[in-house]
Structure formats: C-alpha cells, structure tokens
Amino acid sequence: MTLHLGYGTNGLTDLRLDDALGLLADLGYEGVGLTLDHMHLDPLAPDLAERTRQVRRRLTSLGLRVTVETGARYVLDPRRKHGPSLLDPDPDARAARTALLVRAVDVAGELGAHAVHCFSGITPPGTPTDTAWKRLTEAITPVLEASDRSGIPLAVEPEPGHLLATLADFHHLRGLLGDPGPLGLTLDIGHCQCLEDASPADCVRDSAPWLRHVQIEDMRRGVHEHLPFGDGEIDFPPVLAALAASEYRGLTVVELPRHSHTGPELARTSIDFLRAALSREATTRAAPDRATTTKGAAPC
C-alpha cells in the first residue's frame, strides 16, 4: 500500500520555512503542501524568483516533493479573510485573485510541484448563483491556460460554505468549462466526512479519475473543523486503502491549519497515526490470504 505522505506548511506557520522542511524530512514525510504566504514563500515579494529557487534547492536536498497551495488567509487583503475571491463583484478584485493563481502556477513550475491547489470562494451576499458560476468560470480560465502551458494541473478543492462546496459542484464546474484537461480535484478527506452523502472511502473511489491533490485530517459530520487524527469520526484504514488502490500517486497532505502552535508535535503524531492505520489495513487485507493458504496447506 503506497501512499506519499506530506504535511501542510499552513500548520507550521510558527516555524521558518527551512526549519519546517527539515522537520518534515526528519520525521519521514515524503513531501509538503506549501502554502504561498508572507511567512514562508511570499507570492508578492519582490525577490520571489530568487527565493523560489532557494526553496527548490532546499526541497531537492531533503528529497521532498511539493504541492503549491493557495489558501493563505490575508495574502491579498489584510482586512478580508481569503479576499478578494474569484467571485468578487469587483472585476479588478477578481483579476487580482486570478493573477495570484497564475503566479502560483509559475512558482509551481519552478519548484517542480505536482499540482496547484485553489478554491472558489464564498458567494457574495445578493449574488445570484448563475452569476457566481459565470464569474468563477471566467476568472479561472486564465489559470487553467497557465496550467496547460506549464503541464501542472490545477486542483480545485470543494470547500464547505463556498460556491464550489461538494464533489457534485466540482463536476458542475467541469461541465461548464467543457472538461478541460488541466482541471483536477483536491479532495479533502475531512470535508467528505463533514458534508458528502457518501463515505470518505467511497468519495475517494468515486473521485479517483480526477484526483490531483489530497488533504487529510479528522472531522465530524456536519462540523467544518479540522481535527487531529483520533479526535473526529473518520475510520481511516478504509480511506487509506482506497487511496492506495487508486491511480493517484501525488501527495496526501495532513491539513491542520489551526494548530500551528503545536505543529511540530502534531507533525510527529500525525505520521505515526497514518503509518499505524496503513499497517492495520495491510494486516486486515492479508488475513484472508493467510486463512486461504492455511486451509489449503498439507498437514505437518
């Protein structure tokens, strides 16, 4: 059962980026979900190009893979969380978000990332649903064009409370855009537990053809709160088995953005938990095989 485990830098914001990457490599992670933000790799900094080259050298020296994530809370507007979005009523504001995502694709190309993550944003009050979808398709098209040029897929995440909140919404966007090749899916396992009708393991199986990035954490039904493993309701061995059985070979990144104050310890306990869950699932799968072998064996 092969999974490539990573950890998100949005859960390590109290560490310098070099220190965070070193920590993850020492713990045995294979990669990192790198959020472009002011404390780690600022996408608006004048020395972004040189800093990006430095980060690539650091990733290479540590043997870490990378996904570029774009969920920084205040990187564009210091007064509006995740603002402006791709759904903003102001065309110039939408263009600023589009430009940031295009820049993220460029950074991903320099880093050798396997995907760029993004989400739609919350529908502004008073905005008709059809208008919101029209804004989204128009604003995301230049990003998909950049992804196509770079060969790095854009992985859109269904986010509770956003216009694009569910897997059905992701497929609706695919249909509106004509199913473009660069468009893929970020599947957050906790979000599946939170609001999808299907189980998280079934969500993985149903989404396998479009998976380009996976985020993982614990969560409870109906409550959008990212929890350390064991604090929620998810049965993880079947989820990990479904991921391993799919054709997805990207990173599965622990997503605990509200736990930076205990980030180093949670990074350690998270990889221990996931390894133990993988081991339990492997043991369970092997048990019927051993039983069959024993039943058919010649007596001693």
Side-chain angles (χ1 to χ4, degrees):
M1 295 178 62
T2 301
L3 288 182
H4 304 287
L5 299 178
Y7 201 93
T9 59
N10 60 2
L12 295 168
T13 56
D14 291 294
L15 277 67
R16 298 177 183 87
L17 181 57
D18 282 2
D19 293 337
L21 297 179
L23 169 74
L24 298 181
D26 288 346
L27 289 172
Y29 285 97
E30 294 185 51
V32 59
L34 176 57
T35 295
L36 301 184
D37 208 347
H38 64 89
M39 77 291 290
H40 283 153
L41 185 58
D42 187 347
L44 303 182
D47 62 344
L48 175 63
E50 175 55 31
R51 178 62 176 146
T52 302
R53 287 189 288 269
Q54 292 173 4
V55 172
R56 176 162 190 166
R57 289 193 291 269
R58 179 67 167 156
L59 290 167
T60 300
S61 70
L62 295 170
L64 291 174
R65 302 169 64 188
V66 62
T67 298
V68 170
E69 301 195 357
T70 61
R73 294 182 180 94
Y74 296 99
V75 69
L76 284 178
D77 188 332
R79 293 173 176 82
R80 282 197 298 162
K81 181 182 176 182
H82 298 312
S85 78
L86 297 171
L87 310 178
D88 201 286
D90 181 356
D92 291 338
R94 294 198 300 275
R97 177 60 62 172
T98 297
L100 178 67
L101 295 178
V102 170
R103 182 169 295 191
V105 173
D106 293 340
V107 169
E110 179 64 30
L111 294 177
H114 75 80
V116 174
H117 147 278
C118 72
F119 43 61
S120 68
I122 297 170
T123 304
T127 302
T129 301
D130 288 349
T131 299
W133 282 108
K134 183 173 185 294
R135 289 176 186 168
L136 177 59
T137 57
E138 291 175 350
I140 207 171
T141 294
V143 190
L144 290 167
E145 292 170 350
S147 294
D148 192 33
R149 291 192 299 269
S150 70
I152 298 173
L154 183 69
V156 179
E157 178 188 8
E159 182 79 21
H162 284 211
L163 173 68
L164 198 157
T166 65
L167 291 172
D169 294 332
F170 168 73
H171 291 299
H172 180 61
L173 178 64
R174 285 180 53 237
L176 290 174
L177 292 168
D179 198 16
L183 179 64
L185 173 69
T186 291
L187 185 69
D188 187 300
I189 301 302
H191 294 173
C192 297
Q193 176 70 20
C194 178
L195 52 72
E196 296 286 350
D197 292 333
S199 71
D202 283 340
C203 288
V204 171
R205 286 185 279 268
D206 294 343
S207 303
W210 300 278
L211 286 183
R212 301 296 179 267
H213 184 44
V214 174
Q215 297 172 343
I216 192 165
E217 70 286 313
D218 217 338
M219 204 169 285
R220 300 186 183 98
R221 182 70 179 170
V223 182
H224 184 204
E225 181 182 5
H226 292 236
L227 298 172
F229 298 112
D231 288 359
E233 301 169 341
I234 299 177
D235 182 16
F236 281 97
V239 175
L240 300 177
L243 282 170
S246 74
E247 295 184 358
Y248 175 69
R249 295 297 177 262
L251 292 174
T252 298
V253 172
V254 178
E255 179 79 356
L256 293 172
R258 296 184 181 274
H259 293 78
S260 281
H261 60 292
T262 55
E265 176 62 13
L266 275 176
R268 182 188 65 79
T269 57
S270 294
I271 197 168
D272 288 348
F273 179 95
L274 292 171
R275 285 170 169 167
L278 283 165
S279 179
R280 288 196 302 274
E281 177 60 24
T283 300
T284 300
R285 290 168 64 87
D289 295 335
R290 288 198 298 270
T292 300
T293 301
T294 302
K295 183 178 180 180
C300 296

